[in-house]
Amino acid sequence: MKYYAIIVAGGSGNRMQTETPKQFLLLKNLPVLMHTIKAFAQSDTQPRILLVLSKEQQGYWARLCEEFNFRIPHDVIDGGNERFHSVKNAIETITEDSFVAIHDAVRPLISKSLIDNCFKEAEAQGNVIAAVQSSDSVRMLRDEKTSALKRDEIYLVQTPQTFSLNVLKEAYHQDFAGHFTDDASVVESIGYNINIIEGERGNIKITYPIDLELAELLLKN
């Protein structure tokens, strides 16, 4: 079986209060995105890596690869307007029967074992997404009223989200809709059940400045 990893790097960095997109910020003297690609390259599954980047950022990325002597093989794919279109562009380049993991570029601390587990479980079950149970109490706000939800029924979704290529091609054949927040919601909308695998508390998404500080701490340990 063939394996692919689509690394989606479309973020602009607005919430980081920085001009530099967050996937290019330095984490332990290396751009965040390089940590992410490295994790997949070092996994036992050894997927072929497809990096989705906006055209405007591709030149900058090429310069970073030179500057940091970054030689891990990867194909660069043009990003689209929405994450949906970026993922679709990458999927369309894959022609062989395979399993595909889709991962946020700004989750650089993912472990090799989680990557390998996601591929293994996707092969067994058809699809799988990494998620962790909520450790906080959760409330829902609707029509200006709040109600408590059962914490043990709430999962916080992470990436990778891993599917067979056939399912992805079928799902991404449909038109974009506003309620597509991740790949699982795209696949679910055509009638597939989504399976969950235990994610990792350390598999954080770098969105705010404090996340970068936390990632530095976690890497030190």
Side-chain angles (χ1 to χ4, degrees):
M1 183 52 76
K2 298 283 185 180
Y3 303 102
Y4 284 80
I6 297 174
I7 313 282
V8 191
S12 62
N14 297 345
R15 284 177 290 192
M16 287 295 292
Q17 299 141 30
T18 164
E19 286 298 304
T20 307
K22 52 205 172 193
Q23 60 266 23
F24 301 139
L25 294 173
L26 288 187
L27 171 62
K28 221 174 169 192
N29 304 319
L30 201 64
V32 163
L33 178 51
M34 291 183 185
H35 287 280
T36 308
I37 291 175
K38 221 159 120 184
F40 280 86
Q42 291 172 348
S43 69
D44 291 341
T45 318
Q46 294 280 292
R48 183 168 172 183
I49 297 167
L50 309 179
L51 170 62
V52 191
L53 262 183
S54 72
K55 281 183 184 169
E56 299 77 46
Q57 294 176 354
Q58 290 175 13
Y60 183 57
W61 171 246
R63 289 196 297 279
L64 284 177
C65 288
E66 281 304 309
E67 186 185 333
F68 289 90
N69 199 23
F70 189 71
R71 298 283 178 255
I72 293 174
H74 61 280
D75 300 321
V76 177
I77 313 279
D78 293 344
N81 291 339
E82 304 281 345
R83 180 195 169 93
F84 175 92
H85 302 109
S86 293
V87 173
K88 183 175 183 167
N89 288 354
I91 290 166
E92 284 174 352
T93 69
I94 307 172
T95 54
E96 54 192 352
D97 201 16
S98 52
F99 279 85
V100 182
I102 304 164
H103 188 65
D104 299 323
V106 289
R107 289 187 189 271
L109 304 187
I110 181 167
S111 73
K112 295 184 288 186
S113 61
L114 181 56
I115 292 168
D116 290 326
N117 275 345
C118 283
F119 278 116
K120 193 174 96 186
E121 287 302 316
E123 278 194 78
Q125 303 184 60
N127 72 66
V128 75
I129 66 171
V132 292
Q133 234 175 351
S134 175
S135 55
D136 296 326
S137 294
V138 188
R139 297 190 72 82
M140 183 168 67
L141 172 65
R142 186 181 280 166
D143 301 330
E144 297 183 9
K145 288 182 183 167
T146 74
S147 57
L149 301 178
K150 288 183 180 172
R151 184 168 62 186
D152 57 358
E153 292 179 358
I154 303 294
Y155 281 79
L156 309 177
V157 172
Q158 303 181 338
T159 62
Q161 302 191 353
T162 310
F163 309 86
S164 70
L165 179 65
N166 293 341
V167 166
L168 282 176
K169 286 208 182 254
E170 185 187 349
Y172 277 86
H173 196 64
Q174 64 187 315
D175 292 331
F176 172 72
H179 63 269
F180 293 159
T181 54
D182 64 355
D183 311 291
S185 57
V186 180
V187 170
E188 190 174 45
S189 72
I190 59 167
Y192 287 93
N193 285 330
I194 302 297
N195 304 302
I196 287 177
I197 188 174
E198 185 67 36
E200 295 169 337
R201 299 278 168 196
N203 184 21
I204 61 171
K205 188 176 184 182
I206 293 176
T207 309
Y208 299 102
I210 195 167
D211 300 328
L212 204 56
E213 292 173 36
L214 181 56
E216 288 272 2
L217 276 173
L218 289 169
L219 271 179
K220 268 182 197 160
N221 296 333

